[in-house]
Amino acid sequence: MKLVKLIANLGYGSRKEIAAMFREGRITDAQGEVLYADDKVGHDAIRIDGEPLDPPAGMTLMLHKPIGYTCSTKDPGRVIYDLLPLRFRARSPLLSSVGRLDRDTSGLLLMTDDGALLHRIVSPKAKLAKVYEVTLAQDLRGDEGEVFASGTLMLESENTPLAPAALEVHDARHAALTVTEGRYHQVRRMFAAVGNHVDALHRSRIGGLSLGDLPAGKWRMLDAADLNALFGGAA
Ligand code: URA
């Protein structure tokens, strides 16, 4: 791939803007030698203003989504892309979230430009466990774990029952719910179905991957070991 296109695809600017950056000498190799647009060098050898390039296509990251942000590009309010470098919005292929978290839900959100990986994660066949920490408006009544584990709970306006889900009760108003599906507003609707209301919702884990000590609003790239943990269920 030509260098101008390669760099433009990473969102650093339009092809015209990248061509201008070459002319200005801002694009160099690792030793600081100015590169020309028709040079034949690989992604890893390129620097812009002395900085290595963002990863090429196949980039996956985790974001600790704070409350108040939507997983949309179009929402007029705060969106998850505001928490990432501006150029990530202009990447080709597009960087998108793997499923969604509601505006009022915080926690682990994966983002990738790898369509095959995205489908592998969200595919019902993968049955990847997603763990949600829940704060409830009312005390648990005691039978919720059984109802959620039954595999027969039907959410309003749906025609297939939910797969079994596991509830771990911390105290009367706090619990962790592990689900393997990703239906619309699933956790909130599950608790509504048992007469409760979710006051706060936080996703702490997907498969074997958790946020670790990543603070709210921050993100980090995932590497092969992270993806292995994601699918392998390792801690
Ligand atoms: N379930 C919900 O209700 N909301 C989320 O954001 C995720 C799961």
Side-chain angles (χ1 to χ4, degrees):
M1 193 188 298
K2 297 253 170 61
L3 291 186
V4 168
K5 183 165 186 231
L6 183 153
I7 296 170
N9 282 353
L10 299 178
Y12 285 90
S14 64
R15 292 192 196 191
K16 207 170 148 190
E17 286 163 341
I18 305 299
M21 286 162 80
F22 272 105
R23 284 196 300 276
E24 289 158 8
R26 293 173 58 195
I27 302 180
T28 64
D29 67 13
Q31 287 71 44
E33 284 292 318
V34 169
L35 288 173
Y36 287 79
D38 60 353
D39 283 342
K40 302 271 178 287
V41 293
H43 174 280
D44 290 353
I46 303 168
R47 302 288 179 273
I48 297 186
D49 298 329
E51 296 295 324
L53 296 180
D54 295 333
M59 179 173 99
T60 303
L61 59 86
M62 68 157 73
L63 171 69
H64 185 161
K65 180 193 165 304
I67 288 167
Y69 285 75
T70 53
C71 296
S72 152
T73 41
K74 298 193 183 87
D75 195 280
R78 289 169 176 74
V79 295
I80 51 171
Y81 292 90
D82 297 339
L83 299 164
L84 305 171
L86 198 56
R87 60 179 178 272
F88 282 11
R89 289 186 209 209
R91 283 176 65 103
S92 173
L94 277 177
L95 180 69
S96 52
S97 68
V98 179
R100 287 176 173 226
L101 290 177
D102 307 336
R103 186 197 300 267
D104 294 331
T105 303
S106 60
L108 175 57
L109 184 72
L110 301 179
M111 299 184 74
T112 187
D113 61 13
D114 181 339
L117 177 69
L118 188 150
H119 283 111
R120 206 179 145 205
I121 299 170
V122 298
S123 158
K125 279 193 208 133
K127 291 203 173 78
L128 272 191
K130 283 153 288 234
V131 181
Y132 292 90
E133 298 295 332
V134 186
T135 303
L136 297 162
Q138 290 162 52
D139 287 0
L140 288 159
R141 56 187 197 201
D143 66 338
E144 294 87 348
E146 206 178 312
V147 173
F148 294 161
S150 69
T152 59
L153 179 62
M154 196 76 95
L155 292 179
E156 217 176 284
S157 72
E158 298 213 356
N159 42 29
T160 49
L162 290 175
L167 187 71
E168 186 191 332
V169 176
H170 301 320
D171 63 36
R173 301 243 174 145
H174 296 93
L177 180 65
T178 303
V179 302
T180 55
E181 299 171 289
R183 302 202 200 182
Y184 181 66
H185 289 177
Q186 181 170 340
V187 176
R188 293 176 198 276
R189 290 164 74 210
M190 286 173 76
F191 280 96
V194 292
N196 212 321
H197 176 82
V198 172
D199 268 351
L201 189 57
H202 175 86
R203 183 158 68 190
S204 58
R205 181 178 281 262
I206 303 175
L209 198 62
S210 52
L211 280 168
D213 53 10
L214 191 67
K218 299 292 181 197
W219 61 276
R220 72 167 176 85
M221 293 293 176
L222 296 195
D223 59 19
D226 292 314
L227 292 179
N228 203 28
L230 174 68
F231 291 109

